[in-house]
Amino acid sequence: TEVLSEDDKLVVVRFVAPYCKACKSIQVAYERLASSLQKTVKFVDVSIEDREEFPELHVPATPYAQIYHPELGLVEHSPIARRQLTTFKKVLKWYVDGVADLDEDFFSNPQYEPPRMVGVTP
């Protein structure tokens, strides 16, 4: 519901688990990122014990993040363990700055699956 209630901000949903060591290892860096972008991005954490709790959200592992655009909905999703966090920050900044490229299929195909953030360039 917090994603749907934002009509003018990007929303980042981070999925974490209490037992997840990778989630704990990025906690400080992630909180710094959230603090630095709090005026333009809403950050929401969802704690899950079992990935099967939310099968419709397709969360394959924790930590995992989804970026929602206020007009376009889900635009990016990716694991965000330590080695993916730098790419996640770059991609998020592209959306904040308005320079992220969206595939043409995003607008014409209702079944379009947003790309995972792997080696994306603006």
Side-chain angles (χ1 to χ4, degrees), residues 23-110:
C23 299
K24 292 173 186 167
S25 75
I26 66 159
Q27 184 67 29
V28 172
Y30 185 84
E31 286 175 358
R32 252 189 256 128
L33 173 68
S35 177
S36 71
L37 295 174
Q38 67 184 354
K39 292 182 180 175
T40 54
V41 180
K42 180 172 189 158
F43 288 82
V44 178
D45 281 353
V46 176
S47 180
I48 56 176
E49 291 287 327
D50 180 7
R51 290 180 304 189
E52 303 305 317
E53 276 184 83
F54 303 101
E56 69 279 4
L57 295 177
H58 309 289
V59 176
T62 56
Y64 197 78
Q66 298 175 337
I67 300 174
Y68 290 86
H69 187 278
E71 297 170 12
L72 304 173
L74 178 63
V75 291
E76 301 280 351
H77 59 100
S78 175
I80 57 165
R82 184 165 301 280
R83 68 183 166 169
Q84 294 105 353
L85 192 58
T86 300
T87 300
F88 175 77
K89 289 177 187 179
K90 287 178 189 175
V91 171
L92 181 57
K93 183 97 170 84
W94 295 337
Y95 281 98
V96 168
D97 294 342
V99 296
D101 287 332
L102 289 173
D103 191 318
E104 245 180 66
D105 289 338
F106 185 90
F107 298 100
S108 60
N109 180 357

